[in-house]
Amino acid sequence: MDINDLKSTWRNSGNERKGMAQLQAMTQMKNHPQIRQIRMKFLVQVPLLVIFLAFYYDMFDGHTKSLFVNIALIVSCILYIVNDVLGYFILINPVRGTNISLSLKQLENSLKTMLFTSVSTSLLFGGTLILFMVYDIVLTPIKYLLLSGMVLTLIVFVYVSRKNWLKKIGAIKRASLEFEEIM
């Protein structure tokens, strides 16, 4: 192949028009590695939480806890699951605007909202789970130590989750800024 053939092929490579179906197939995110990782986390976490909700009352003596603590645990667990579902759907549908720049801005705003709701529901669920576990028990020095370990673990998990969301938001923000520089 000589240089003229190469130039001709290069010039003609962009002349082919893509249909809407082809463009949508190119922008689908369902096979992206991070989306697969989130899907696997989702497929493991949600059934485990549903199983927990189905059996917590008998296995963890829910009948001995107050009605308020039981309701708080159920509501916080459901909110946590709903937040995971909404977050998954936001991440698999990143294209929302009429152009790339607008889509990136809207995705950044959605991720900022998800940061807040994800951290809040994680903290709420973890807090109510700890409350449920320690409700109506006599706390000894060892149990205080275990309780502080659980609270510290919850804080670390929430911090790591927040840091991961900020990293995702930062990547989208950088991509948006780079795209604006090109335009």
Side-chain angles (χ1 to χ4, degrees), residues 95-104 179:
V95 180
R96 292 189 193 91
T98 55
N99 59 42
I100 293 174
S101 180
L102 185 60
S103 286
L104 287 172
F179 189 80

Side-chain angles (χ1 to χ4, degrees), residues 117-161:
T117 60
S118 178
V119 168
S120 298
T121 56
S122 297
L123 195 57
L124 179 68
F125 177 60
T128 55
L129 185 60
I130 291 171
L131 175 67
F132 178 82
M133 294 298 176
V134 301
Y135 187 82
D136 227 14
I137 64 169
V138 177
L139 293 174
T140 62
I142 301 258
K143 290 178 183 175
Y144 275 117
L145 187 62
L146 289 172
L147 176 61
S148 62
M150 290 189 315
V151 170
L152 183 64
T153 302
L154 174 63
I155 291 169
V156 168
F157 280 144
V158 168
Y159 174 76
V160 169
S161 175

Side-chain angles (χ1 to χ4, degrees), residues 4-180:
N4 290 331
D5 288 339
L6 188 60
K7 286 180 182 178
S8 175
T9 303
W10 177 258
R11 277 189 221 112
N12 293 332
S13 67
N15 291 341
E16 183 181 319
R17 294 280 180 193
K18 303 278 187 214
M20 191 56 127
Q22 286 178 307
L23 291 174
Q24 285 179 338
M26 290 169 61
T27 59
Q28 283 187 347
M29 295 288 294
K30 64 182 171 184
N31 293 325
H32 191 278
Q34 286 183 337
I35 297 298
R36 265 188 299 209
Q37 183 182 15
I38 292 168
R39 188 181 319 127
M40 283 306 297
K41 174 189 167 244
F42 179 71
L43 290 175
V44 169
Q45 200 174 52
V46 170
L48 288 176
L49 288 172
V50 169
I51 290 169
F52 170 75
L53 280 178
F55 295 109
Y56 88 94
Y57 195 76
D58 292 328
M59 291 176 66
F60 296 107
D61 297 331
H63 60 280
T64 63
K65 314 289 184 188
S66 79
L67 181 63
F68 170 75
V69 172
N70 280 290
I71 290 173
L73 182 66
I74 292 168
V75 169
S76 66
C77 188
I78 290 171
L79 286 174
Y80 186 80
I81 292 170
V82 167
N83 183 66
D84 275 359
V85 171
L86 291 176
Y88 176 73
F89 284 117
I90 285 173
L91 291 175
I92 64 170
N93 296 311
V95 180
R96 292 189 193 91
T98 55
N99 59 42
I100 293 174
S101 180
L102 185 60
S103 286
L104 287 172
K105 291 282 186 202
Q106 289 178 348
L107 181 60
E108 182 183 343
N109 290 335
S110 295
L111 290 180
K112 285 179 182 176
T113 302
M114 285 305 302
L115 163 69
F116 175 75
T117 60
S118 178
V119 168
S120 298
T121 56
S122 297
L123 195 57
L124 179 68
F125 177 60
T128 55
L129 185 60
I130 291 171
L131 175 67
F132 178 82
M133 294 298 176
V134 301
Y135 187 82
D136 227 14
I137 64 169
V138 177
L139 293 174
T140 62
I142 301 258
K143 290 178 183 175
Y144 275 117
L145 187 62
L146 289 172
L147 176 61
S148 62
M150 290 189 315
V151 170
L152 183 64
T153 302
L154 174 63
I155 291 169
V156 168
F157 280 144
V158 168
Y159 174 76
V160 169
S161 175
R162 181 181 178 275
K163 193 172 178 180
N164 286 336
W165 278 107
L166 288 173
K167 189 171 140 183
K168 291 174 188 173
I169 292 168
I172 296 297
K173 189 175 230 167
R174 282 190 301 280
S176 179
L177 290 174
E178 288 174 8
F179 189 80
E180 285 177 6

